[in-house]
Amino acid sequence: MRVRVQLLLALLMLTVAVGTELAGPFVAKRLIDVHISGIEQPWYAVSGSVAAGDRYAVEYGGGVYKRADHFAEGEARGKEIRVLQAGRDYYFIPSGIGFDGTRTGGGDRAITIAKDGLAVTYEAAKLSRGELYRFFRPEIGGMLRLSWYYFGLLLLSAAFSYGQRYYLQASANRIIRSMRTDVFGQINRLPVRYFDNLPAGKIVSRITNDTESIRELYVTVLANFFTGTIYMAGIFTALFLLDVRLAAICLAIVPILFVWVAVYGRFAKRYNRIVRSTLSEINGRVNESIQGMAIIRAFRKEKKIEAEFEAFNMRNYIYKNKLLSLNALTGHNLVGVIRNLAYVALIWYFGAGSLTGPEAIVSVGVLYAFVDYLNRLFNPIVNIVNQLPNLETALVSAERVFVLLDEQGEDVADASMPRCRGDVAFEDVWFAYKEGENVLKGISFEAKQGQTVALVGHTGSGKSSIINLLFRFYDVDRGRVTIDGVDVRNLPRQTIRRHMGIVLQDPFLFTGTIASNVSLDDPSITREKVEKALADVGAERVLRHLPRGIDEPVIEKGGTLSAGQRQLISFSRALAFDPAILILDEATSNIDTETEAMIQEALEVVKKGRTTFVIANRLSTIRNADLILVLDHGVIAERGDHETLMALRGKYFQMYRLQSGEKAGTVRAAAASAADPGQAAAETTGEKATSSKAAAASRR
């Protein structure tokens, strides 16, 4: 509401500013026609007694004269005289004139007036500067008064112009602030699926570059369009008040301007879309390159990355040049052509009028005002034309931003629920990231409160997909996932996640301190809880050597900390929120053996009372799990605890023995012996024979 008020106030102040500014030529017109050129109006002799004390009475050559427009109604008038200009001189004619036309001075004693082949010479006296000043002196007061009016109008216009610019920019800044907040909030509302195919750099570009272009729409583009429209409306009103016919001729500029904007927009919109798109690609490439700088240099791909970047950069350059050519073609030069055509029309009108009859001849003041208004008319046109590139850029940027805002999202819920027990069940769950390509096929299992469930399997078997469904990063296609018997789809996502904690393989740390990364600035997480969480995972032994301890600054992504330190902080973060369900996604795969042993020891304490899901490639870390699910291409191939699965001598048995360092053939033979002892013996014998041949070959 406040933004609307500011915008309306800005438009109101703009209207007043334009009105006061456009009143200037009317003041100048009166100054010229009444107080300067008015000296050429008829003058009449008055008696000395009447003229006594009359500020408009002028004494000259023994007589007293007063200009016709200064006589009161019914006031007696004497003999008519005229004061006319010829060249740079003024002449006193002691009589009236028959007609006016081209004037020629005849020395100091005569003036000749010619028109339509007729020429009349009048006896006249050339006026000196002092004598001429006498006739202008009655007008000095009016001239000073109008000058003060003009100056006052300029001050008023400047004050209201400042006000409208301030309020317009203030409202624009407020709008863009709200828009950026909405866009960032929308990002939090969008499902994780939306970000699968959209690089981070493109999203950043929409929040920063595109919203800034929209700000320019309000601050510069709309300001110039509003100003120009009101300005032009005021000027055309003034032109019609001065002369209807010439104003009608100038109206031809309006359709030309509309056609101009339409043609320009047709080409500029396409170019700007490509420019904004390539700019997003450039931002995406820069973001990706910075994040992957170590890999790029390790594999010597600097030239390749530069070439890919240059391809987008060149495309951006090419279309910016096309925009530049379009702007140059339809910019100031075209305005100059239209302005010159308007001046031609003005000259033709006044020139033709002076030849066809005196009724078309206008005063000097009207001519001055017309030229002044005509000059002023093209200033807003130039400003509007100059803002056409920014207008199209802003429209394309707004289109990109609103496409993001129009994406279907889900409001962040503030609802809370009592701490759940942590009983989790998957019931015949099917799921696919892409339609028709199922990654989970009929998954069913249960995890009771306090149990540890381990998920193992090859890459792409569906381990992380189960966690994604549990966290509701995605929803199931068929079947259902329940927590404490309630379908998770019937609960707000944020409410569920409030009772869940996760530790990822690649921990993410935010800029701040170690303590703030554990608590995430949650007011419910006290410093004591932070310290306890760090102590529970043994992190204080690793972090205590840091100069500031847990208040040690953390830069983006924790670049100054080791992988083990980052992982310990991530563990502490999950535990500080005291989750009912704890998820460890290959959480110990990137840390050293000593740190892993420390965490494993701490987790045995931490797991108590919590339902824990563990995705692990190191099978030695899940020997104590209550339930191990062996996944294979989206189905549960085996399930049970460690001893049960080892007794089965199936996939889990093979993976475990391989990780224990045994040869592949021996493992396969051992696995096969459970089903066919004879086949197992044959495989073992064949393997021994192969080994003997290899040994003999090595001796030779």
Side-chain angles (χ1 to χ4, degrees):
M1 185 64 182
R2 185 175 179 180
V3 172
R4 292 181 182 178
V5 172
Q6 285 185 332
L7 284 174
L8 290 174
L9 185 60
L11 292 178
L12 179 62
M13 298 186 79
L14 173 62
T15 304
V16 175
V18 171
T20 52
E21 185 175 350
L22 294 182
F26 272 96
V27 175
K29 170 185 173 297
R30 180 171 179 82
L31 186 66
I32 294 172
D33 284 348
V34 175
H35 299 292
I36 297 178
S37 299
I39 194 175
E40 295 191 346
Q41 293 186 35
W43 293 72
Y44 296 95
V46 293
S47 64
S49 59
V50 175
D54 192 338
R55 64 188 182 92
Y56 292 112
V58 176
E59 295 184 11
Y60 175 79
V64 181
Y65 306 95
K66 192 164 69 169
R67 214 169 71 185
D69 57 339
H70 293 316
F71 278 87
E73 185 177 353
E75 185 177 353
R77 303 186 181 191
K79 179 183 177 183
E80 178 184 355
I81 63 100
R82 300 294 293 269
V83 177
L84 300 179
Q85 182 182 12
R88 300 178 63 122
D89 299 319
Y90 282 84
Y91 292 85
F92 176 87
I93 303 175
S95 64
I97 59 175
F99 57 87
D100 200 0
T102 304
R103 305 165 187 171
T104 306
D108 295 337
R109 295 295 179 181
I111 182 173
T112 301
I113 301 175
K115 182 176 179 62
D116 296 335
L118 298 177
V120 178
T121 300
Y122 295 93
E123 180 184 350
K126 183 178 179 180
L127 297 175
S128 66
R129 289 187 178 181
E131 292 169 336
L132 179 62
Y133 175 73
R134 295 181 191 176
F135 289 94
F136 274 111
R137 184 171 55 190
E139 308 302 322
I140 289 178
M143 292 171 67
L144 289 175
R145 185 170 60 255
L146 288 178
S147 296
W148 279 111
Y149 287 164
Y150 193 91
F151 182 69
L153 288 172
L154 290 179
L155 290 179
L156 198 61
S157 177
F160 279 93
S161 295
Y162 167 79
Q164 69 89 12
R165 182 174 295 274
Y166 174 82
Y167 283 114
L168 192 61
Q169 294 203 17
S171 59
N173 289 336
R174 189 180 296 274
I175 289 171
I176 298 306
R177 186 196 68 181
S178 299
M179 180 173 290
R180 281 183 175 153
T181 301
D182 291 342
V183 173
F184 195 80
Q186 173 71 349
I187 291 175
N188 289 327
R189 296 176 67 251
L190 292 175
V192 175
R193 189 187 297 272
Y194 179 81
F195 302 96
D196 289 343
N197 300 312
L198 190 64
K202 289 188 176 182
I203 300 177
V204 171
S205 180
R206 295 191 186 189
I207 297 176
T208 55
N209 297 341
D210 288 335
T211 52
E212 187 63 24
S213 295
I214 298 173
R215 192 187 77 86
E216 287 299 313
L217 173 68
Y218 286 96
V219 173
T220 306
V221 179
L222 292 184
N224 279 284
F225 271 76
F226 285 147
T227 304
T229 301
I230 295 175
Y231 212 86
M232 290 173 67
I235 289 175
F236 275 114
T237 301
L239 290 177
F240 273 102
L241 291 175
L242 290 172
D243 190 282
V244 175
R245 286 169 292 183
L246 187 56
I249 295 174
C250 293
L251 273 178
I253 296 172
V254 176
I256 293 175
L257 185 60
F258 277 109
V259 172
W260 189 348
V261 171
V263 172
Y264 177 87
R266 181 178 179 183
F267 292 96
K269 182 172 291 185
R270 182 164 64 91
Y271 294 160
N272 270 302
R273 280 178 177 165
I274 297 175
V275 168
R276 304 306 296 183
S277 175
T278 53
L279 184 60
S280 291
E281 291 289 351
I282 288 173
N283 286 336
R285 291 287 172 169
V286 170
N287 180 67
E288 187 178 63
S289 298
I290 292 173
Q291 290 186 350
M293 188 60 67
I295 301 299
I296 292 171
R297 295 186 177 180
F299 287 90
R300 305 176 305 284
K301 293 298 180 182
E302 293 91 343
K303 295 294 184 183
K304 180 177 181 298
I305 296 298
E306 287 178 12
E308 292 176 353
F309 179 86
E310 181 57 23
F312 289 109
N313 199 24
M314 178 58 71
R315 181 173 172 82
N316 185 271
Y317 168 78
I318 290 172
Y319 278 90
K320 277 194 171 180
N321 275 349
K322 288 185 177 182
L323 267 177
L324 184 62
S325 300
L326 179 65
N327 295 338
L329 181 65
T330 61
H332 184 76
N333 292 335
L334 191 54
V335 175
V337 171
I338 298 176
R339 178 193 287 116
N340 291 335
L341 289 176
Y343 282 137
V344 168
L346 178 69
I347 294 171
W348 172 84
Y349 175 77
F350 283 114
S354 64
L355 295 174
T356 56
E359 69 278 358
I361 298 177
V362 296
S363 67
V364 176
V366 172
L367 180 60
Y368 167 82
F370 233 113
V371 173
D372 192 345
Y373 280 128
L374 207 55
N375 276 325
R376 291 170 184 254
L377 178 63
F378 285 95
N379 288 333
I381 293 178
V382 170
N383 292 335
I384 290 174
V385 170
N386 288 341
Q387 293 305 320
L388 288 179
N390 294 332
L391 172 64
E392 292 302 327
T393 300
L395 291 178
V396 171
S397 296
E399 180 181 357
R400 288 160 50 84
V401 170
F402 287 117
V403 165
L404 177 61
L405 289 174
D406 290 339
E407 287 288 338
Q408 187 66 34
E410 182 178 339
D411 291 332
V412 178
D414 295 327
S416 60
M417 59 179 283
R419 177 186 171 89
C420 60
R421 294 190 308 275
D423 296 334
V424 176
F426 276 61
E427 301 173 4
D428 192 27
V429 170
W430 292 71
F431 173 69
Y433 293 102
K434 295 182 180 179
E435 188 175 355
E437 299 179 10
N438 291 315
V439 294
L440 295 180
K441 307 166 187 176
I443 298 294
S444 297
F445 68 88
E446 289 186 10
K448 298 297 184 181
Q449 179 185 13
Q451 286 187 336
T452 298
V453 178
L455 306 174
V456 300
H458 58 78
T459 301
S461 60
K463 304 185 299 294
S464 295
S465 298
I466 290 176
I467 301 305
N468 287 337
L469 295 179
L470 182 59
F471 252 93
R472 283 202 70 194
F473 292 146
Y474 302 87
D475 283 328
V476 300
D477 297 329
R478 287 162 50 190
R480 68 175 191 155
V481 179
T482 65
I483 296 178
D484 295 347
V486 180
D487 193 327
V488 294
R489 288 173 294 187
N490 297 329
L491 298 171
R493 299 176 195 268
Q494 290 73 30
T495 304
I496 298 173
R497 294 168 189 163
R498 187 182 297 272
H499 303 290
M500 302 172 74
I502 189 170
V503 181
L504 300 173
Q505 178 181 6
D506 186 16
F508 189 93
L509 300 186
F510 297 91
T511 302
T513 65
I514 292 174
S516 69
N517 268 281
V518 174
S519 67
L520 294 181
D521 294 323
D522 190 321
S524 65
I525 308 298
T526 64
R527 188 174 181 87
E528 289 73 21
K529 285 186 178 181
V530 171
E531 293 173 348
K532 184 178 184 306
L534 289 167
D536 286 342
V537 298
E540 81 285 352
R541 286 176 282 174
V542 179
L543 302 174
R544 63 188 174 189
H545 70 280
L546 297 175
R548 300 184 185 178
I550 66 173
D551 294 317
E552 182 72 14
V554 176
I555 63 172
E556 184 181 6
K557 297 180 69 176
T560 57
L561 300 173
S562 68
Q565 290 172 329
R566 293 198 300 270
Q567 195 63 284
L568 286 170
I569 295 171
S570 184
F571 267 101
S572 302
R573 175 195 297 163
L575 299 179
F577 285 84
D578 190 23
I581 300 172
L582 179 63
I583 297 170
L584 309 178
D585 188 356
E586 299 185 25
T588 60
S589 61
N590 289 337
I591 58 180
D592 58 87
T593 305
E594 182 181 355
T595 305
E596 179 185 356
M598 184 189 309
I599 292 176
Q600 289 295 337
E601 181 182 346
L603 284 179
E604 293 305 317
V605 178
V606 172
K607 288 178 183 177
K608 292 180 180 179
R610 294 187 175 91
T611 305
T612 306
F613 288 84
V614 180
I615 296 178
N617 287 325
R618 296 183 187 178
L619 301 186
S620 60
T621 64
I622 59 169
R623 291 190 58 172
N624 297 327
D626 299 294
L627 175 64
I628 300 174
L629 302 177
V630 182
L631 296 169
D632 184 30
H633 294 94
V635 299
I636 299 177
E638 300 173 4
R639 70 176 70 202
D641 58 17
H642 175 74
E643 286 74 15
T644 302
L645 294 177
M646 290 298 289
L648 288 175
R649 293 177 175 266
K651 293 182 179 295
Y652 180 83
F653 175 79
Q654 294 182 43
M655 289 189 296
Y656 189 85
R657 297 291 289 272
L658 284 173
Q659 287 190 11
S660 299
E662 297 190 27
K663 294 181 180 179
T666 304
V667 173
R668 285 195 301 271
S673 66
D676 188 353
Q679 176 66 24
E683 289 188 10
T684 304
T685 302
E687 185 174 307
K688 288 180 178 179
T690 303
S691 299
S692 299
K693 290 179 182 179
S698 65
R699 286 195 296 271
R700 288 195 297 269

